[in-house]
Amino acid sequence: MSRVAVVTGSNKGIGLEIVRGLCKQFNGIVYLTARNEKLGQEAVQKLKSEGLNPSFHQLDITNEQSIQALKQHLQDKHGGLDVLVNNAGFAYKGADTTPFGIQAEDSVGINFFGTMAVSKALLPIIRPHGRVVNVSSQVSQMSMKKCSAEHQARFRDRSIKEEELVKLLNKFIETAKAGKHKENGFADSAYGMSKVGVTVLTFIQAREMEKDSREDILVNCLCPGWCKTDMAGAKAPRTAAEGADTAIFLALIKPKESQGQFFYNRKPIAF
Ligand code: NDP
């Protein structure tokens, strides 16, 4: 059976570049996924015009029905999955006047809860030697430093469980809505807190995989660097393709190469 890779949020930006790179380097079928079917199909056609051959499936990471439809498709058509790149993400622009509580709910809702929901559905069908790559951000390190010592200790605790992480991020949203997130020990960045969630979730998933009976499933996360995309704008120094490099690298790492690390420029860095 062919090996299969899935990249979330890959109709544009870094995700599209991850698909482009995997189409060239991954020995198997690569799924470009998008919440908007038309944008996804257009991206697939673009890559096909370059001689590449991605497959397509719709996926909105905040919609459980959409996640389950992809899971079913992967099981029915391929009997499982080998590489999952959780790339889909969202950030409010700095000048956006949406109330901070809503920004917190939306950012954490997509970046953290969306990534967690996709992982919960798809990690159980990952085959031995699978790779899971979560696209986080170094903004998570910056936001960690702005959290209270107590929260930092919880986020850094290598025995923290998913339930506690969920509780902490829900508390961030709840206190953000009341304008009290800073006095409750959270950073003043909705995007930053959502990516703290993605980074800590990666460490939790990696520890779970170490206990799993399936052999050699490696889970890591990364920061792509500041890249020219619709999210980050034209001033960013890196191209989206440069940002995709470490994600592609992690999708293809050898057995035992790295488990539960945060990468930047293909190298593990401290959280
Ligand atoms: P883009 O805004 O260019 O692309 C984001 C992608 O995520 C789009 O395909 C978007 O789809 C998709 N997406 C958003 N919400 C959902 C959802 N609910 N379900 C499925 N897909 C969704 O951003 P980037 O390419 O810059 O970002 C990619 C990742 O890299 C993100 O996780 C981001 O946080 C991270 N990152 C980016 C940095 C940068 O400098 N660019 C720096 C650090 C991290 P649609 O087109 O429909 O909106």
Side-chain angles (χ1 to χ4, degrees):
M1 212 168 245
S2 292
R3 298 183 76 225
V4 177
V6 166
V7 184
T8 70
S10 48
N11 51 288
K12 66 178 183 180
I14 295 165
L16 177 62
E17 296 301 334
I18 297 171
V19 169
R20 182 180 269 124
L22 286 178
C23 282
K24 292 175 186 168
Q25 296 176 52
F26 175 71
N27 183 15
I29 298 160
V30 184
Y31 274 87
L32 184 154
T33 68
R35 58 179 166 175
N36 180 313
E37 172 116 28
K38 182 169 173 282
L39 295 178
Q41 293 290 6
E42 282 169 8
V44 165
Q45 285 318 312
K46 193 170 159 188
L47 294 181
K48 288 202 167 166
S49 74
E50 297 169 15
L52 302 172
N53 194 23
S55 295
F56 176 75
H57 204 281
Q58 194 275 345
L59 176 66
D60 180 337
I61 67 165
T62 60
N63 182 320
E64 191 55 34
Q65 235 180 323
S66 167
I67 295 171
Q68 289 304 327
L70 173 64
K71 179 180 185 175
Q72 198 62 52
H73 171 85
L74 292 168
Q75 279 181 306
D76 293 349
K77 192 149 185 213
H78 306 289
L81 171 66
D82 301 281
V83 169
L84 171 63
V85 183
N86 280 312
N87 162 81
F90 169 79
Y92 277 95
K93 303 284 180 220
D96 199 300
T97 55
T98 304
F100 186 77
I102 306 288
Q103 295 203 15
E105 189 166 43
D106 290 348
S107 308
V108 175
I110 297 170
N111 299 340
F112 173 69
F113 285 111
T115 298
M116 190 173 76
V118 172
S119 304
K120 265 196 188 311
L122 299 188
L123 263 51
I125 63 163
I126 298 227
R127 286 186 274 252
H129 311 291
R131 303 288 180 255
V132 180
V133 181
N134 295 333
V135 181
S136 188
S137 166
Q138 284 186 90
V139 176
S140 69
Q141 274 87 333
M142 280 145 63
S143 294
M144 263 290 273
K145 288 185 192 146
K146 301 261 169 64
C147 288
S148 65
E150 193 191 331
H151 285 340
Q152 286 192 41
R154 292 313 305 137
F155 287 131
R156 286 213 170 89
D157 190 329
R158 288 277 168 169
S159 67
I160 189 172
K161 297 275 189 306
E162 207 170 271
E163 299 74 53
E164 186 183 354
L165 181 60
V166 165
K167 264 193 196 158
L168 281 164
L169 285 158
N170 275 329
K171 177 120 192 261
F172 166 64
I173 295 170
E174 186 194 308
T175 54
K177 283 186 171 169
K180 292 185 170 161
H181 54 286
K182 284 195 272 184
E183 62 199 77
N184 276 277
F186 295 106
D188 197 23
S189 165
Y191 178 75
M193 287 309 306
S194 75
K195 292 296 192 181
V196 168
V198 173
T199 301
V200 178
L201 180 67
T202 306
F203 301 154
I204 295 170
Q205 291 171 341
R207 283 197 297 273
E208 292 295 315
M209 279 306 175
E210 286 297 285
K211 291 186 250 158
D212 200 281
S213 60
R214 290 166 292 173
E215 193 194 347
D216 178 39
I217 298 181
L218 301 179
V219 187
N220 293 283
C221 65
L222 72 133
C223 176
W226 188 23
C227 305
K228 274 182 216 42
T229 63
D230 287 350
M231 179 184 284
K235 282 193 197 143
R238 289 190 167 184
T239 62
E242 286 165 339
D245 176 74
T246 297
I248 296 165
F249 166 78
L250 287 172
L252 303 173
I253 50 174
K254 295 190 193 78
K256 296 194 170 62
E257 205 163 325
S258 175
Q259 179 71 290
Q261 299 283 333
F262 188 109
F263 277 74
Y264 180 63
N265 287 344
R266 294 190 176 205
K267 297 265 174 339
I269 61 166
F271 179 60

